Amino acid sequence: MSTASLQWTASLGRLLPGRADALAMRRQPARDLIAGMTVAVVALPLALGFGVSSGLGAAAGLATAVVAGAVAAIFGGSNLQVSGPTGAMTVVLVPIVHDHGPGGVLTVGLLAGMILLALAVLRVGRAMRYVPAPVVEGFTAGIAAVIFLQQVPAALGVHPQDRDTVTAVAWGAITDFAHRPHWTEVALAAAVVAFMLVGARLRPAVPFSLIAVAITSVLVAASGWGVATLGALPATLPSPSLGFLDISALPTLAASAVAVAALAALESLLSASVADAMTSREQHDPDRELFGQGLANLIVPLFGGVPATGAIARTAVNVRSGASSRLAALTHALLLAGIMLVAAPLVARIPLAALAGVLLATAIRMVEIASLRALGRASRSDAAVMTLTAAATIALDLVVAVLLGLVAAGALALRQIARSARLEEVPLNTADHHDADQALLTDHALLTEHIAVYRIDGPMFFAAAHRFLPELTAIADVKVLILRLSKVSAIDATGAIVLRDIIDRLEHRGTTVYLSGLRPEHTKALSAIGLLNRLEKQGHLFDSAAEAIQTARDHLHHTGTLPERGGTLKAPAGFGVPADDTALAGPEA
């Protein structure tokens, strides 16, 4: 077997389930089974609701929870992650259903699964940990707002209008409701919301969503109220099929597939990180998590399911219920399959308004007011990034919103880093030099007149380097300029070019420029533009400021700028030379 084949096999092997996964499932099976049953109770109304919201129907949501939940539980990178249909994914799928129909959504899911598998093999998962907290919080708040707006028509008992944005759809529903009120649906939705929110504060472990849906379903069935219900559901999963696939539509759906894959990766890895934060004993594998989600999304469309991701709310319930292995998430999927098999007629009687109430309450609970306040108070930059991401999530595409948030966060971070870069003149000061004599003071006065020492602190990169150019090139009547670079944290190509421009301009005016304290890791940028080799040939590059000062003094003596004298010259403490190079031994008389 070739080396490339061996590497490919090893790369694939690290993404597949191992013996450790099987051993973990045997440790505390009773706790995992109880946790799985608890999550299934919470997941049932959410799966049905998100299926309806996506436009493919409750059966598609339930199929997604079963198939994706099982596949991702086995192959995912987190022991505690629960996967299925989510509100964030629903937001992306609605326009795809509108433009391409159910077959387009299934095709997009298939393509997204392939993309996720490729990202896993390329080890892209680890990069997702660098998403800033303001972007995550803004994204979550924006999704919550979108989910809330999506449920307004069903909660009002109004058929949603065909509008471009969820805000327009919600406003159209409110307008229709004002003309033809449907108070029964409003009462059902409001009762479910109140029941869930109040109940969650009093007894967080109780599945109030399922209880609320069950009570409203019984009330509607017993009273004969004319409200819309889910309707008939299949008792089993459909046979796997690729009948939806239209090869000619693949180029048109490619962009949507990229957006779905990006959202699935982002939400799944964020959810896995939340699970890690809730327990100290777990650490997910981001690349393997992408692999599990990719495989789930590759298989789900064959059974008519919508694209799936890791679900933060269901994952949190799983952790709080005591789950210790992936057996809990697998149990949740199998139990949902059992409900589909034996209770499909009962599920079909659930009022749509009640499911809308479940999703409205879920959207409200998604927003962590304390986290939003903390980030808003942390800095104006964090507040701006969070607000921008949330607004873009509501008004634009979700992936575009995240990208805008990342760009804004990066730009503000660069601005902050650029501001940290400082240029400081180091004055000649003999106040702390106790052995100074009159000859030294005379020499010092001449040095002060003809030598300038500047220290650059912080990064010399594209966002900060140009700040140094005007100040340094404006220096006049100086024979030697010493630039101390020992405190420079980074130099990129732009910083190196600006440094070269500074040296060229000063040398053109007759000022000699010495550099001291250049770090080894910064030589590459200077070498790439030829500056390092030039400085070495000229003898203008020094390890310490002390050597540069002594050479500058000798240069001035040689050119006749300073008169010769006896004695030893030492660099005054005011030069700001670091502790390891403060001593400057001049030539003996």
Side-chain angles (χ1 to χ4, degrees):
M1 186 178 291
S2 65
T3 304
S5 299
L6 290 172
Q7 291 177 344
W8 170 257
T9 302
S11 177
L12 186 60
R14 66 182 174 79
L15 299 174
L16 296 175
R19 186 167 176 268
D21 298 324
L23 292 176
M25 293 171 68
R26 297 177 185 175
R27 255 181 232 130
Q28 296 176 307
R31 288 182 59 183
D32 287 331
L33 290 173
I34 294 173
M37 287 187 282
T38 305
V39 176
V41 168
V42 174
L44 177 60
L46 293 175
L48 297 172
F50 288 135
V52 172
S53 296
S54 70
L56 268 71
L62 198 53
T64 303
V66 172
V67 178
V71 174
I74 296 171
F75 293 93
S78 170
N79 287 326
L80 306 177
Q81 178 90 287
V82 178
S83 299
T86 63
M89 188 60 73
T90 299
V91 174
V92 176
L93 298 180
V94 169
I96 300 175
V97 174
H98 178 268
D99 295 336
H100 305 283
V105 171
L106 300 181
T107 303
V108 164
L110 194 71
L111 294 176
M114 295 178 182
I115 294 172
L116 289 169
L117 291 175
L119 293 177
V121 173
L122 294 174
R123 300 191 176 189
V124 176
R126 301 180 190 281
M128 300 299 290
R129 67 184 65 178
Y130 300 112
V131 178
V135 176
V136 175
E137 292 294 340
F139 177 72
T140 304
I143 287 175
V146 173
I147 294 172
F148 191 96
L149 292 172
Q150 280 182 336
Q151 304 313 310
V152 169
L156 298 179
V158 175
H159 189 274
Q161 299 178 6
D162 187 7
R163 301 289 181 90
D164 291 335
T165 64
V166 290
T167 306
V169 171
W171 179 250
I174 293 172
T175 303
D176 286 351
F177 178 80
H179 289 97
R180 295 180 299 276
H182 301 271
W183 294 108
T184 304
E185 286 86 346
V186 173
L188 288 174
V192 170
V193 171
F195 190 72
M196 285 182 61
L197 295 181
V198 174
R201 294 182 67 88
L202 298 177
R203 294 286 188 273
V206 177
F208 286 100
S209 59
L210 187 66
I211 296 173
V213 168
I215 292 174
T216 54
S217 299
V218 171
L219 283 175
V220 169
S223 64
W225 293 334
V227 298
T229 59
L230 280 177
L233 289 177
T236 60
L237 289 172
S239 301
S241 170
L242 279 172
F244 62 86
L245 188 60
D246 181 4
I247 302 298
S248 63
L250 295 183
T252 307
L253 296 171
S256 297
V258 171
V260 168
L263 179 60
L266 177 66
E267 191 172 14
S268 297
L269 293 177
L270 288 178
S271 177
S273 297
V274 169
D276 290 346
M278 293 179 68
T279 174
S280 59
R281 66 180 184 274
E282 292 296 331
Q283 184 66 41
H284 75 281
D285 182 335
D287 295 319
R288 187 177 167 190
E289 181 61 29
L290 290 184
F291 181 82
Q293 296 297 334
L295 201 58
N297 281 287
L298 196 65
I299 297 174
V300 159
L302 306 181
F303 295 91
V306 298
T309 75
I312 296 176
R314 276 155 275 177
T315 299
V317 171
N318 194 39
V319 176
R320 293 195 190 103
S321 300
S324 61
S325 75
R326 46 192 82 227
L327 177 61
L330 186 59
T331 300
H332 132 272
L334 296 177
L335 188 57
L336 288 178
I339 292 173
M340 176 182 270
L341 180 64
V342 302
L346 295 176
V347 173
R349 298 184 180 184
I350 295 176
L352 291 178
L355 286 182
V358 170
L359 298 185
L360 287 171
T362 301
I364 294 171
R365 294 178 62 188
M366 283 177 66
V367 180
E368 295 286 346
I369 301 298
S371 297
L372 296 180
R373 284 179 178 172
L375 283 173
R377 293 170 180 169
S379 70
R380 285 184 295 179
S381 297
D382 289 340
V385 170
M386 183 172 61
T387 304
L388 173 65
T389 306
T393 301
I394 297 170
L396 304 172
D397 179 79
L398 297 189
V399 177
V400 172
V402 172
L403 292 177
L404 282 176
L406 290 174
V407 170
L412 291 171
L414 286 176
R415 179 169 170 261
Q416 191 68 22
I417 294 172
R419 284 184 170 183
S420 69
R422 294 184 297 113
L423 176 67
E424 181 181 357
E425 183 177 7
V426 183
L428 294 175
N429 179 9
T430 57
D432 297 328
H433 193 85
H434 303 295
D435 297 329
D437 58 11
Q438 189 60 41
L440 178 59
L441 290 176
T442 301
D443 209 12
H444 167 255
L446 291 171
L447 284 170
T448 303
E449 183 178 347
H450 297 290
I451 297 178
V453 182
Y454 279 78
R455 182 179 64 232
I456 299 176
D457 293 349
M460 285 189 68
F461 72 131
F462 69 94
H466 289 284
R467 293 177 54 201
F468 306 133
L469 185 62
E471 186 172 348
L472 287 172
T473 54
I475 296 172
D477 301 326
V478 172
K479 299 299 181 182
V480 179
L481 174 66
I482 298 173
L483 291 179
R484 293 181 50 194
L485 306 180
S486 59
K487 297 295 181 69
V488 173
S489 57
I491 299 179
D492 69 355
T494 304
I497 291 171
V498 169
L499 185 60
R500 183 185 63 188
D501 290 345
I502 291 170
I503 294 173
D504 289 343
R505 295 188 189 189
L506 289 173
E507 288 183 346
H508 183 71
R509 298 209 311 255
T511 299
T512 302
V513 181
Y514 295 160
L515 302 186
S516 73
L518 181 66
R519 297 182 185 179
E521 62 266 28
H522 299 159
T523 58
K524 184 176 180 180
L526 272 59
S527 179
I529 62 171
L531 181 59
L532 185 67
N533 186 52
R534 167 181 148 192
L535 292 172
E536 289 176 339
K537 286 183 178 179
Q538 292 174 333
H540 292 179
L541 197 61
F542 301 91
D543 291 333
S544 67
E547 294 178 81
I549 295 168
Q550 180 61 59
T551 303
R553 179 181 182 275
D554 294 342
H555 172 73
L556 295 178
H557 278 303
H558 179 72
T559 58
T561 304
L562 285 181
E564 293 289 344
R565 67 161 183 82
T568 301
L569 178 65
K570 292 185 178 180
F575 266 87
V577 182
D580 58 349
D581 59 358
T582 52
L584 175 61
E588 294 184 359

